Amino acid sequence: MMAFSLRNIVAFLALFHASIVVATLPSCQTCGSPEPSPPAPEPEAFPPEPEVPEPYPPELAPYPEPDRSPEPSEAPIDDDGVFDVTNYGAVADGRTECSSAFSAAWHAACDYPGNSTFYIPEGTFLVGPISFRGPCYNDRSPNVEIRGTLFALSSLSSFKSSYWISFKNLQGLTLTGEPEYGKLDGQGAVEAWKEPSCEKSARCKKLITVRPGSKNVSVSNIRCGPGHGISLGKYKNEKDVVGINVRNCTINGTENGIRMKTWPGDRPSNAYNITFEDIMMVNVSNPIIIDQEYCPSHKCKSNEPSMVKLKDIFIKNINGTYSTKSAVIFLCSSEAPCENVQLVNINLNYLVPNSPRQGRLNIKGFLNGLQVINSRF
């Protein structure tokens, strides 16, 4: 279509040029006379007038530039259902607050009628409090892949509740990242750790934390530290927690390594089918701990045991170093005993050299079905 139009224009230009040549010839002064016409006068020595192009006739006017399509209401996605937050306005400069862009990408991934991935590329993103909610299409959660660094807002006044990033009402959530790239930095050293309650004690009054009622969650390839480690349990009277899998992680310089905790006097609930596997500990105070006497305020009724049932807990291939006298601490409920706990291939070294190895396993309460296989700590 375009080539045809160009040919028409070229043909017209050639015809237009020829018509100009004919129109500028001098008229015949002695038409019909046998004598030749007198020579034309010499042109005056003036510079030629600049040529002014004739306007195109309406029927042969060039095609106008095509209209630009408006930006689509939804950002483009890859064929495999990858929803990149930068396609929704997130800026990886570490200064632009990106929670709105993250939320838009999440909703698109959540509503996608197929397998989808919520993708955070390399770069530094500043993200305020955000909640990734379900249920999603066909009750399938998007995969979450983090390759960039997420910075929390540094001021505690920016948090109206006690969470920074939360996942709610989701089934089968998988969260993965790259050890060298994917990072979540709460920026606690800027303000949170300077709170008076944090300076005087490891138990802070206001910290941004984990959520109850999680089911079928898989976490892999993360590095954690400093802080409190990877913990399950926070509030009183929580909902059941089922199907937690934490694999291929490094925990460095934390107060705890892997920890499960419940409050004294908690009402009956369950936490089961929990696996921690292939985890490296580096200078961790309490590498493995079950604490059913958790009471950060030290004002709990300690004579009322927790009624949360912890069972089917598998801790495998844990290696590294620790700095306290006990590598493994089980403080289980006297009314709802811990049940079916396996320690397999645990190799933890106490950082104090030439110290006796007795007392490295601390058990209190009731525990049914503890197995320790091929382990040294």
Side-chain angles (χ1 to χ4, degrees), residues 19-89:
S19 65
I20 293 176
V21 172
V22 173
T24 55
L25 289 175
S27 60
C28 178
Q29 301 295 326
T30 57
C31 293
S33 172
E35 297 181 3
S37 302
E42 292 292 328
E44 297 181 0
F46 288 99
E49 293 290 334
E51 293 186 4
V52 178
E54 293 289 334
Y56 286 101
E59 67 273 14
L60 293 177
Y63 282 93
E65 288 292 324
D67 292 334
R68 297 290 181 183
S69 299
E71 291 295 326
S73 58
E74 294 185 358
I77 60 172
D78 294 339
D79 292 338
D80 55 355
V82 176
F83 293 80
D84 189 326
V85 296
T86 59
N87 290 335
Y88 291 80

Side-chain angles (χ1 to χ4, degrees), residues 183-260:
K183 298 178 182 179
L184 278 69
D185 189 339
Q187 300 204 79
V190 177
E191 183 173 317
W193 297 121
K194 297 178 182 178
E195 287 280 299
S197 61
C198 295
E199 290 181 344
K200 297 177 181 179
S201 170
R203 310 288 190 181
C204 301
K205 292 182 179 179
K206 184 175 182 181
L207 287 178
I208 310 306
T209 57
V210 297
R211 302 302 293 180
S214 300
K215 296 181 180 180
N216 301 326
V217 177
S218 177
V219 179
S220 62
N221 299 323
I222 66 171
R223 291 187 176 183
C224 179
H228 289 185
I230 300 175
S231 296
L232 300 180
K234 169 63 178 177
Y235 302 101
K236 293 182 178 180
N237 304 320
E238 294 183 347
K239 297 179 181 179
D240 289 359
V241 174
V242 182
I244 308 299
N245 293 275
V246 181
R247 291 185 169 90
N248 301 319
C249 300
T250 298
I251 303 176
N252 189 348
T254 58
E255 180 183 352
N256 305 291
I258 52 179
R259 176 173 60 159
M260 291 154 280

Side-chain angles (χ1 to χ4, degrees), residues 54-329:
E54 293 289 334
Y56 286 101
E59 67 273 14
L60 293 177
Y63 282 93
E65 288 292 324
D67 292 334
R68 297 290 181 183
S69 299
E71 291 295 326
S73 58
E74 294 185 358
I77 60 172
D78 294 339
D79 292 338
D80 55 355
V82 176
F83 293 80
D84 189 326
V85 296
T86 59
N87 290 335
Y88 291 80
V91 181
D93 60 3
R95 298 185 303 273
T96 304
E97 206 284 319
C98 299
S99 59
S100 295
F102 275 49
S103 180
W106 172 260
H107 285 301
C110 186
D111 294 338
Y112 184 66
N115 295 330
S116 63
T117 298
F118 175 78
Y119 181 71
I120 303 174
E122 295 182 24
T124 302
F125 300 88
L126 183 66
V127 182
I130 186 169
S131 179
F132 300 106
R133 294 176 176 269
C136 294
Y137 183 86
N138 204 24
D139 208 22
R140 293 187 300 184
S141 300
N143 295 324
V144 178
E145 185 173 350
I146 302 177
R147 293 182 177 269
T149 296
L150 305 187
F151 275 132
L153 299 178
S154 59
S155 174
L156 286 176
S157 63
S158 301
F159 297 87
K160 305 304 181 183
S161 61
S162 61
Y163 72 84
W164 171 28
I165 299 172
S166 72
F167 296 89
K168 297 182 178 181
N169 302 325
L170 297 167
Q171 297 291 333
L173 177 68
T174 300
L175 172 65
T176 60
E178 292 291 334
E180 297 299 327
Y181 302 102
K183 298 178 182 179
L184 278 69
D185 189 339
Q187 300 204 79
V190 177
E191 183 173 317
W193 297 121
K194 297 178 182 178
E195 287 280 299
S197 61
C198 295
E199 290 181 344
K200 297 177 181 179
S201 170
R203 310 288 190 181
C204 301
K205 292 182 179 179
K206 184 175 182 181
L207 287 178
I208 310 306
T209 57
V210 297
R211 302 302 293 180
S214 300
K215 296 181 180 180
N216 301 326
V217 177
S218 177
V219 179
S220 62
N221 299 323
I222 66 171
R223 291 187 176 183
C224 179
H228 289 185
I230 300 175
S231 296
L232 300 180
K234 169 63 178 177
Y235 302 101
K236 293 182 178 180
N237 304 320
E238 294 183 347
K239 297 179 181 179
D240 289 359
V241 174
V242 182
I244 308 299
N245 293 275
V246 181
R247 291 185 169 90
N248 301 319
C249 300
T250 298
I251 303 176
N252 189 348
T254 58
E255 180 183 352
N256 305 291
I258 52 179
R259 176 173 60 159
M260 291 154 280
K261 58 185 189 291
T262 66
W263 293 69
D266 265 353
R267 68 188 182 189
S269 63
N270 298 281
Y272 60 93
N273 193 15
I274 297 171
T275 300
F276 297 93
E277 186 174 9
D278 298 326
I279 296 178
M280 174 64 68
M281 307 278 188
V282 181
N283 191 20
V284 173
S285 296
N286 302 300
I288 302 172
I289 180 171
I290 293 176
D291 184 2
Q292 294 202 265
E293 299 177 356
Y294 176 73
C295 183
S297 65
H298 303 288
K299 296 180 180 179
C300 304
K301 296 180 179 179
S302 58
N303 59 334
E304 296 182 4
S306 172
M307 296 303 294
V308 178
K309 182 73 171 181
L310 303 179
K311 64 179 180 180
D312 301 334
I313 299 170
F314 309 102
I315 303 174
K316 307 175 182 179
N317 304 330
I318 311 297
N319 298 280
T321 58
Y322 64 100
S323 58
T324 57
K325 293 183 179 180
S326 296
V328 180
I329 301 174

